[in-house]
């Protein structure tokens, strides 16, 4: 540091050979000929400088550090010599002119002072570094002050990229992500070739979690990819942002280009997903014919979902199972769970649904399926809790959950609660065949057979293909001893049950029952 | 009085038995006359001698009324020399005497007829008038009381010559009456009691001589005795008295040693009388006596083969096998027997296989029944009925030829039928347990309905998650750039 000297103006270190102070811009020659200290009237030069004033002195008004030779505080504008605001001087009331000979000298002095002040201010403005100051403030832990300083600075210098960048970073550190994004965005406008700024702007905007920000984020990714076309991150993000905004065609196009130019393995998978979402199911197979091993999990997920859409349940099973094993997301797990549920494999479905629910899948369908699994496994009490919760959520499954509750209460023998649940479903706008069928069962339990039959008739009128209504009506006929009609309805149950794609135990049991009833009819002649 | 009544009844009985179907007789008394005479002689001899000849009246009468061919077979040329025939027969019956069995009584009857015919008036008259006479006598014999005074032993040469003369002494008178148109009401009617009594007495005397007065002297040849023995067997067999053969067999064998021929003939007789076992026994006796008798082997084999084929036809396989084996035993190497045996063996093997199959079916049916009971216990009535019906179907497959298994199956079928009825009733009553279970079909329907939406949601989530992950990764990478540096 032997080559380092102190600037006589700001007191900060500067190189011995530098022509100007890098901090305030004062000429280095001033160090050899320091300016004469400014004197106040009547004061000796030696008394002009307050003894307390040193290179590291601070403003008496705001405490901002000032240089040893500073006259005006650059922070608050106070006259360091007089302790008055420069504005104060300007706004001092003009004393009425006295009619004595001191007027002109006073005016002259004032004029000189004003000129001096103005020159001083001008000099200050020309020599100060607000960005550095802000930086310093931030480093000193005064991020807010730094931000304010920069904002202030940027009012007059909006196209200062450094200032905007620094502002953005400070705002980011202060968790004002939206504002940070704006600052970085300004840098993008000032310097379109800056590849870093749009990335920062996009990430900051994303972290702000504003609704419908995907489009704006997309703009940043586009800018980044223009500034750095080889940056795969920007390319992928731009493409995916289209998908987030549900513009699958644009996503597919971008990703296809990425794949063709050797992009990351995941690009192929997402390209396939976008094709699937556009309905081009057959294209998916060729896109994902040979996925890389690192993306085998997501690839299997896409292939499994597409197989479902194509109505290929076995293929869907195998692919989705592989995807889940490789760590698929909650909705993929829920989808596989749905397949297990449809096949009656409740024990397999339940853990997947538990994971999907725990992972925060905000979809009531997972909750509905979870409750259905509990019923399938005989855990009626837990199922009641789950359905009860769903029925109170007022979501799309509220009415359906209420109906399931009714069925469970009937199984437990609680006809009153079953009736309440049916009413709840009705109040939620349900008027389905299932509702009428359950109403019929409630009436039957209450001993009102004719009301039960009426309800079953309504159910069948609502939906002639609803199996449960035929089953209940058939059983009711049997209870009344009307064997032929009972058989007819049970056979309708079998037809509609099979048509609905249902096999399973109940169909087999009723099939056997029908066979036995027919033989009974025959043996009775 | 009792004797008279008895005699009258016997005569009446004989007349009625013989009344129908009067066969033309050969130059002698008619059948009713003969019958009356021998019956009278039976009673007289029974009374006087104390032998239970009365028990054999039927046989005696059968002998007296035997057809002509029988007489001709036994007494060849007797019409020309009836006295010799009488003498021979007396000697034979003396030799065969002892116990008056049926055949002996029969032969006595035959002898009685010979005697009666020999002492018949008009025996040598022209046939026309002779036959008229005998016919007239036959109509009126029932009115004649035949009372034999005493029994006398007969010495053939003396006895018959005297009374034969007496018998024919009035032939010319009788003939004259008939030729002049007077007919029987003339001399003949008046002489009838005497003529009838003469004949009846002669019969009684002859029998008395044989049975109680030392018999007729003279030898009897073995052939005669053999003929007598075979005649006896034939008589018993043809009259359905085969059960009594055993009783007389020893006595007959004692009369003359049985020969192989006799045994063969006996076997033939027994066979024709459906007494196969005895016939075979007789044949075996013949084989023992003369092992070279091929005809016996053939007879036996033929019989057993017929039995075997019959049994095969009626599916009595064990019997068939036994029969064929017997045939082969009787005639080793008999081709038809061997063929039959092999056929029987093969069918028995097939039957055994069927029996094994039936046992397996029975076992399976029992399993179905047990499973049905388990389902019933678990109140799954429809399933129980299905299993019981399966058991029923299995039980109905069991063949009647598997006797024990078939019996079990019939019992089980009856039991199962009742249980199925009960279960059907239970089904109706318990069908309500299925109420509420139809809603389980809603789940697959729901899954299907929301399938596409779920798939699209999941695909969207893949995109969103990847985007999120990349943004976070980028944030991490940009960390150094966010440092605040001078």
């Amino acid at each position: 540091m032997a080559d380092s000297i102190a600037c006589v103006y700001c007191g900060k270190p500067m190189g011995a050979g530098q022509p100007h102070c890098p901090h305030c811009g004062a000429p280095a020659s001033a160090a050899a000929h320091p300016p004469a200290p400014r004197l106040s009237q009547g004061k000796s030069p030696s008394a002009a400088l307050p003894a307390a004033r040193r290179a590291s002195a601070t403003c008496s008004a705001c405490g901002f550090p000032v240089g040893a030779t500073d006259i005006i505080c650059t922070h608050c504008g106070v006259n360091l010599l007089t302790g008055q605001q420069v504005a104060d001087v300007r706004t001092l009331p003009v004393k009425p002119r006295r009619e004595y000979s001191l007027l002109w000298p006073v005016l002259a002095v004032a004029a000189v002072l004003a000129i001096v002040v103005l020159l001083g201010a001008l000099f200050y403005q020309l020599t100060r570094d607000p960005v550095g100051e802000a930086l310093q403030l931030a480093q000193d832990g005064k991020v807010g002050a730094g931000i304010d300083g920069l904002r202030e600075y940027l009012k007059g210098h909006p196209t200062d990229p450094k200032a905007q960048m620094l502002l953005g970073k400070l705002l980011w550190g202060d968790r004002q992500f939206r504002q940070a994004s704006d600052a970085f965005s300004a840098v993008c406008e000032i310097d379109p070739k800056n590849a870093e700024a749009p990335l920062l702007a996009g990430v900051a905007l994303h972290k702000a979690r504003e609704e419908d920000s995907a489009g704006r984020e997309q703009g940043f990714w586009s800018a980044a990819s223009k500034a750095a076309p080889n940056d795969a991150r920007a390319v992928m993000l731009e493409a995916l942002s289209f998908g987030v905004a549900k513009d699958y065609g644009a996503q597919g196009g971008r990703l296809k280009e990425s794949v063709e130019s050797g992009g990351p393995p995941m690009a192929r998978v997402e390209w396939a997903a976008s094709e699937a979402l556009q309905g081009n199911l057959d294209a998916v197979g060729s896109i994902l014919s040979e996925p890389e091993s690192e993306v085998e999990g997501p690839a299997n997920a896409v292939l499994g979902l597409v197989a479902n859409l194509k109505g290929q349940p076995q293929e869907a099973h195998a692919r989705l199972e592989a995807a889940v094993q490789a760590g698929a997301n909650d909705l993929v797990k829920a989808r596989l769970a749905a397949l297990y549920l449809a096949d009656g494999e409740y024990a397999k479905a339940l853990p997947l649904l538990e994971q999907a629910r725990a992972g925060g899948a905000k979809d009531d369908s997972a909750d509905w399926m979870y409750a259905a699994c509990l019923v399938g496994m005989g855990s009626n009490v837990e199922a009641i809790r789950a359905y009860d919760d769903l029925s109170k959520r007022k979501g799309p499954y509220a009415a359906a959950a209420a109906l399931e509750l009714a069925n469970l209460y009937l199984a437990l023998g609680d006809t009153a609660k079953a009736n309440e649940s049916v009413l709840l479903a009705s109040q939620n706008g349900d008027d389905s065949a299932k509702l009428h069928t359950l109403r019929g069962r409630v009436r039957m339990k209450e001993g009102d057979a004719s009301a039960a039959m009426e309800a079953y008739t309504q159910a069948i009128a609502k939906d002639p293909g609803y199996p449960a209504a035929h089953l209940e009506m058939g059983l009711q006929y049997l209870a009344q001893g009307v064997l032929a009609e009972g058989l007819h309805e049970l056979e309708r149950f079998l037809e509609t049950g099979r048509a609905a794609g249902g096999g399973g135990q109940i169909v087999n049991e009723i099939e056997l029952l029908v066979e036995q009833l027919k033989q009974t009819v025959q043996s009775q002649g | 009085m009792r004797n008279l009544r008895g005699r009258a009844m016997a005569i009446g009985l004989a007349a009625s038995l013989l009344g129908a179907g009067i066969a033309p007789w050969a130059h002698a008394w008619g059948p009713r006359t003969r019958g009356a005479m021998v019956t009278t002689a039976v009673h007289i001899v029974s009374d006087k001698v104390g032998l239970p000849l009365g028990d054999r009246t039927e046989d005696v009468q059968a002998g007296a009324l035997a057809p002509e061919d029988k007489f001709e077979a036994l007494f060849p040329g007797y019409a020309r020399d009836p006295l010799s025939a009488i003498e021979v027969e007396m000697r034979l019956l003396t030799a065969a005497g002892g116990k008056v069995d049926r055949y002996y009584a029969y032969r006595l009857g035959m002898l009685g007829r010979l005697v009666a015919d020999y002492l018949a008036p008009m025996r040598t008259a022209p046939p026309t008038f002779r036959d008229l006479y005998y016919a007239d006598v036959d109509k009126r014999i029932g009115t004649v009381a035949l009372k034999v005074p005493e029994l006398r032993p007969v010495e053939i040469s003396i006895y018959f010559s005297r009374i034969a003369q007496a018998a024919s002494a009035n032939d010319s008178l009788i003939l004259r009456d008939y030729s002049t148109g007077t007919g029987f009401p003339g001399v003949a009617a008046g002489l009838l009691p005497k003529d009838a009594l003469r004949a009846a007495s002669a019969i009684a005397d002859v029998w008395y001589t044989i049975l109680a007065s030392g018999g007729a002297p003279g030898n009897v040849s073995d052939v005669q005795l053999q003929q007598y023995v075979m005649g006896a067997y034939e008589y018993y067999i043809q009259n359905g008295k085969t059960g009594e053969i055993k009783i007389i067999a020893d006595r007959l064998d004692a009369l003359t040693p049985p020969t192989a021929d006799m045994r063969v003939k006996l076997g033939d007789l027994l066979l024709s009388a459906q007494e196969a076992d005895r016939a075979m026994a007789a044949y075996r006796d013949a084989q023992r006596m003369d092992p070279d008798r091929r005809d016996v082997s053939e007879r036996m084999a033929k019989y057993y083969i017929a039995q075997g084929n019959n049994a095969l036809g009626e599916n009595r396989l064990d019997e068939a096998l036994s029969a064929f084996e017997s045939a082969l035993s009787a005639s080793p190497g008999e081709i038809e027997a061997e063929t039959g045996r092999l056929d029987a063996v093969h069918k028995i093997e097939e039957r055994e296989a069927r029996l094994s199959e039936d046992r397996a079916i029975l076992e399976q049916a029992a399993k179905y029944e047990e499973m049905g009971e388990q389902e019933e216990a678990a109140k799954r009535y429809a399933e129980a009925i299905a299993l019981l019906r399966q058991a029923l179907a299995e039980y109905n497959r069991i063949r009647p030829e598997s006797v024990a298994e078939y019996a079990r199956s019939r019992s089980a079928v009856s039991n199962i039928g009742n249980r199925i009825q009960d279960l059907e009733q239970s089904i109706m009553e318990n069908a309500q347990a299925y109420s509420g279970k139809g809603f389980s079909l809603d789940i697959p329907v729901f899954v299907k309905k929301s399938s596409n939406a779920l798939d699209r949601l999941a695909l969207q989530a893949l995109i969103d998650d990847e985007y999120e992950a990349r943004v976070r990764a980028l944030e991490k990478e940009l960390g150094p750039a966010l440092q605040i540096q001078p």
Side-chain angles (χ1 to χ4, degrees):
Chain A
M1 294 300 292
D3 294 332
S4 170
I5 58 175
C7 175
V8 298
Y9 284 94
C10 66
K12 290 186 181 158
M14 60 179 281
Q18 281 181 302
H20 293 94
C21 173
H23 301 288
C24 63
S29 58
H33 303 283
R38 293 184 182 90
L39 299 172
S40 59
Q41 270 187 321
K43 291 206 175 154
S44 65
S46 61
L49 286 171
R53 286 186 64 192
R54 295 286 184 266
S56 59
T58 57
C59 173
S60 59
C62 67
F64 193 80
V66 295
T69 56
D70 285 352
I71 299 172
I72 306 291
C73 174
T74 59
H75 190 254
C76 64
V78 96
N79 191 322
L80 296 168
L81 299 176
T82 62
Q84 288 179 336
Q85 285 286 349
V86 172
D88 289 346
V89 173
R90 286 194 292 273
T91 59
L92 280 173
V94 176
K95 289 182 181 173
R97 288 180 65 181
R98 289 183 188 171
E99 293 185 2
Y100 48 83
S101 62
L102 288 177
L103 175 63
W104 288 112
V106 170
L107 284 175
V109 169
V112 169
L113 279 173
I115 290 167
V116 168
V117 166
L118 283 171
L119 285 173
L122 183 64
F123 180 74
Y124 174 74
Q125 288 298 327
L126 287 172
T127 59
R128 70 182 286 225
D129 179 15
V131 175
E133 289 165 10
L135 182 62
Q136 186 60 50
L137 282 170
Q139 284 176 337
D140 292 342
K142 296 172 183 170
V143 176
I147 289 171
D148 292 341
L150 278 173
R151 278 193 171 130
E152 193 57 40
Y153 170 69
L154 284 167
K155 279 180 188 169
H157 302 84
T159 58
D160 185 349
K162 260 182 68 179
Q164 290 285 13
M165 271 303 260
L166 179 61
L167 177 62
K169 291 178 186 179
L170 292 182
L171 286 166
W172 184 299
D174 201 36
R175 300 194 68 77
Q176 296 181 51
F177 296 113
R178 176 53 206 269
Q179 290 82 350
S181 177
D182 290 340
F184 292 129
S185 175
V187 174
C188 295
E189 286 176 20
I190 296 164
D191 182 7
K193 288 186 184 163
N194 188 325
E196 201 175 65
L199 292 175
L200 287 166
V203 175
L205 184 60
H206 186 78
K207 286 177 74 68
R209 297 282 174 210
E210 288 180 357
E211 279 189 30
D212 301 325
S213 66
R216 280 174 285 147
E217 289 172 31
Q218 194 179 86
F220 291 129
W221 311 133
S222 295
S225 63
K226 275 182 192 151
N230 293 332
D231 189 347
R233 301 174 299 178
V235 169
M236 281 296 291
L237 282 166
E238 185 196 5
L240 289 168
S241 64
F242 282 114
V244 171
K246 298 185 172 44
D247 186 353
Y248 305 118
Q251 172 176 305
R254 295 288 191 286
L255 290 173
K256 184 181 175 197
E257 286 170 13
S258 172
V259 167
E260 285 168 355
S261 57
M266 200 58 194
R268 185 179 287 277
V269 176
E270 298 294 347
W271 172 25
S274 59
E275 291 297 321
L277 284 163
Q278 290 177 83
N280 302 329
L281 302 181
D282 292 332
V284 173
S286 55
I287 293 170
L288 289 178
S289 59
E290 290 176 9
E292 286 84 350
S293 57
E294 64 206 85
V295 296
E296 219 171 290
N300 273 322
V302 173
L303 287 167
L305 293 167
V306 167
N308 262 331
L309 287 166
K310 286 166 112 174
Q312 298 168 348
Q314 281 184 334
E315 171 77 4
H317 256 111
R319 292 286 186 186
L320 290 176
E321 279 172 355
V324 166
Q325 274 186 358
N329 67 35
D330 295 328
L331 279 174
V332 172
K333 289 177 186 171
R335 190 63 193 90
L336 179 59
L339 287 176
Y340 287 141
L341 190 60
D343 289 343
E345 293 182 273
Y346 306 113
K348 283 186 178 177
L350 195 69
L352 289 172
L353 290 167
E354 282 171 344
Q355 288 169 34
R357 294 170 80 227
K362 300 295 179 198
D363 183 21
D364 281 357
S365 66
D367 291 329
W368 195 96
M369 289 192 284
Y370 175 73
C373 273
L374 290 172
V375 173
M377 295 175 72
S379 304
N380 285 352
V381 172
E382 290 177 42
I384 285 176
R385 260 203 292 274
Y387 279 130
D388 190 47
D389 179 52
L390 258 178
S391 70
K392 286 172 180 159
R393 266 191 230 163
K394 304 294 180 188
Y397 293 92
L403 291 179
E404 294 299 331
L405 267 178
N407 198 28
L408 286 168
Y409 282 129
L410 281 169
L412 292 172
D414 193 336
T415 310
K417 281 201 172 157
N419 198 27
E420 281 172 25
S421 299
V422 170
L423 281 171
L424 179 62
S426 179
Q427 283 161 9
N428 275 329
D430 193 292
D431 188 32
S432 61
K434 184 166 183 171
L435 179 133
H436 291 287
T437 306
L438 280 162
R439 182 176 287 142
R441 288 200 68 216
V442 170
R443 295 292 167 264
M444 192 186 70
K445 292 287 185 187
E446 290 172 346
D448 190 346
S450 63
M453 290 298 275
E454 199 182 311
Y456 297 145
T457 306
Q458 268 184 303
I460 291 172
K462 270 282 169 187
D463 182 2
Y466 184 57
H470 291 288
L471 175 64
E472 297 303 329
M473 182 167 260
L475 293 174
Q476 187 64 28
Y477 273 126
L478 288 184
Q480 293 170 353
V482 185
L483 193 51
E485 289 295 333
L487 258 176
H488 172 74
E489 286 302 323
L490 291 179
E491 283 175 326
R492 280 292 295 147
F493 164 74
L494 292 175
E495 285 168 24
T496 52
R498 289 187 196 115
Q505 193 176 349
I506 185 60
V507 170
N508 292 341
E509 286 176 347
I510 298 300
E511 201 165 32
L512 202 51
L513 176 64
V514 165
E515 193 54 43
Q516 294 305 328
L517 288 172
K518 280 181 180 172
Q519 288 176 8
T520 303
V521 169
Q522 279 174 4
S523 64
Q524 287 173 356
Chain B
M1 192 65 174
R2 189 157 55 89
N3 284 341
L4 274 173
R5 197 182 305 128
R7 258 187 238 126
M9 282 173 66
I11 292 168
L13 176 62
S16 64
L17 284 173
L18 300 171
I22 298 173
W25 56 88
H27 47 79
W29 303 110
R32 293 175 67 181
T33 308
R34 285 169 177 158
M37 288 173 181
V38 297
T39 303
T40 301
V42 163
H43 287 291
I44 296 299
V45 171
S46 295
D47 288 344
K48 299 286 186 189
V49 172
L51 285 173
L53 194 57
D55 298 341
R56 301 290 177 219
T57 304
E58 199 176 317
D59 295 300
V60 170
Q61 286 173 350
L65 298 172
E68 286 296 326
D69 57 340
K70 289 279 189 192
F71 275 90
E72 195 56 46
L74 284 175
F75 312 111
Y78 79 99
R80 291 188 303 279
D81 186 3
L83 197 60
S84 295
I86 291 169
E87 187 176 0
V88 168
E89 189 64 3
M90 284 181 71
R91 281 206 287 271
L92 178 61
L93 290 181
T94 300
K99 193 166 178 199
V100 179
D101 56 42
R102 288 185 188 275
Y103 187 64
Y104 194 86
Y106 176 77
R107 290 298 285 259
L108 283 176
M110 291 184 92
L111 178 60
R113 173 172 155 173
L114 285 173
V115 169
D117 286 357
Y118 184 62
L119 297 175
M122 296 286 279
R123 192 165 58 84
T124 57
T128 307
F129 298 118
R130 178 191 68 199
D131 293 343
L132 276 172
Y133 168 73
Y134 291 140
D136 290 334
V137 168
D138 223 47
K139 287 176 196 165
R140 291 166 177 81
I141 191 64
T143 64
V144 176
L146 297 171
K147 187 175 174 194
V148 175
E150 287 291 331
L151 293 175
R152 298 174 285 166
V154 170
E155 192 186 331
I156 294 175
S157 58
I158 300 169
Y159 182 87
F160 280 103
S161 64
R162 183 171 54 79
I163 62 173
Q165 278 181 3
S168 62
N170 297 307
D171 283 359
S172 58
L173 294 174
I174 298 170
L175 183 62
R176 188 193 67 199
D177 282 342
Y178 272 92
S179 59
T180 58
T182 306
F184 187 81
V187 173
L191 291 172
L192 180 58
K194 196 173 174 184
D195 289 333
L197 184 62
R198 184 186 304 113
S201 296
I203 295 170
D205 290 340
V206 164
W207 288 356
Y208 171 71
T209 302
I210 295 169
L211 293 172
S213 187
N219 294 327
V220 177
S221 69
D222 287 339
V223 172
Q224 282 177 310
L225 287 172
Q226 287 168 5
Q227 282 176 346
Y228 176 82
V229 167
M230 292 317 301
Y233 282 128
E234 188 175 0
Y235 180 74
Y236 273 90
I237 289 168
Q238 284 175 350
N239 285 281
K241 305 297 182 187
T242 52
E244 295 177 29
I245 288 178
K246 212 171 175 185
I247 300 170
I248 61 159
D250 290 339
R251 205 164 64 75
L252 290 174
D253 286 347
L255 274 179
T256 179
T259 64
D261 273 340
M262 287 168 73
R263 283 294 186 250
V264 171
K265 284 179 189 165
L266 176 60
D268 291 345
L269 284 170
L270 287 168
L271 205 58
S272 65
Q274 313 298 321
E275 291 283 338
D277 291 341
R278 286 181 177 173
M280 294 306 116
Y283 288 142
R284 278 193 283 274
D285 283 344
Q287 268 188 330
R288 275 194 294 275
M289 291 171 192
D290 187 356
D292 292 333
R293 286 292 296 266
R294 181 87 189 128
D295 61 325
V296 175
S297 304
E298 286 173 2
R299 277 173 161 84
M300 290 173 74
K302 186 178 172 186
Y303 167 75
Y304 283 125
I305 288 168
Q307 290 296 106
N309 287 334
N310 198 37
L312 267 182
E314 292 176 1
N315 212 35
R316 289 178 282 111
L317 301 176
D318 298 308
E319 288 179 32
L321 180 63
S322 176
F324 288 124
E325 284 172 346
S326 296
L328 285 168
S329 174
S331 178
E334 178 65 45
I335 293 172
E336 194 178 347
E338 179 61 18
T339 305
R341 189 190 71 83
L342 290 173
D343 194 13
V345 164
H346 178 66
K347 284 183 175 158
I348 286 172
E349 284 172 356
E350 286 177 344
R351 187 191 63 190
E352 290 302 312
R354 287 194 299 273
L355 179 62
S356 293
E357 193 182 323
D358 283 346
R359 284 182 181 152
I361 290 171
L362 197 68
E363 204 177 311
Q364 184 59 46
K367 277 185 189 162
Y368 281 136
E369 205 178 335
E370 192 183 331
M371 287 160 69
E373 285 170 5
Q374 288 169 359
E375 291 296 317
E376 185 184 347
K379 294 193 193 304
R380 289 191 289 270
Y381 301 117
E383 292 84 341
I385 288 178
L387 285 163
L388 288 175
R389 287 201 192 279
Q390 276 184 289
L392 206 60
E394 290 298 300
Y395 280 128
N396 282 331
R397 288 175 60 198
I398 294 174
R399 289 162 271 240
E401 68 172 353
S402 306
V403 175
E405 289 74 16
Y406 186 72
R408 270 182 65 187
S409 72
R410 292 303 96 198
S411 171
V413 163
S414 171
N415 183 32
I416 286 174
N418 292 333
R419 280 161 65 195
I420 287 176
Q421 276 185 356
D422 293 341
L423 286 172
E424 283 173 347
Q425 184 60 31
S426 299
I427 282 179
M428 295 285 283
E429 291 165 4
N430 290 284
Q432 299 309 313
Y434 291 116
S435 180
K437 293 190 178 176
F439 299 112
S440 63
L441 295 177
D442 294 347
I443 294 172
V445 171
F446 159 78
V447 169
K448 274 196 181 135
K449 257 191 198 170
S450 49
S451 172
N452 283 3
L454 283 173
D455 291 328
R456 293 185 70 85
L457 271 175
L459 282 167
Q460 183 66 51
L462 278 169
I463 294 171
D464 295 344
D465 290 349
E466 180 66 12
Y467 181 74
E468 187 69 31
R470 283 190 177 267
V471 170
R472 271 192 250 115
L474 180 60
E475 180 186 347
K476 204 169 171 185
E477 286 169 22
L478 291 174
L482 287 164
Q483 296 297 319
I484 301 168
Q485 289 174 358

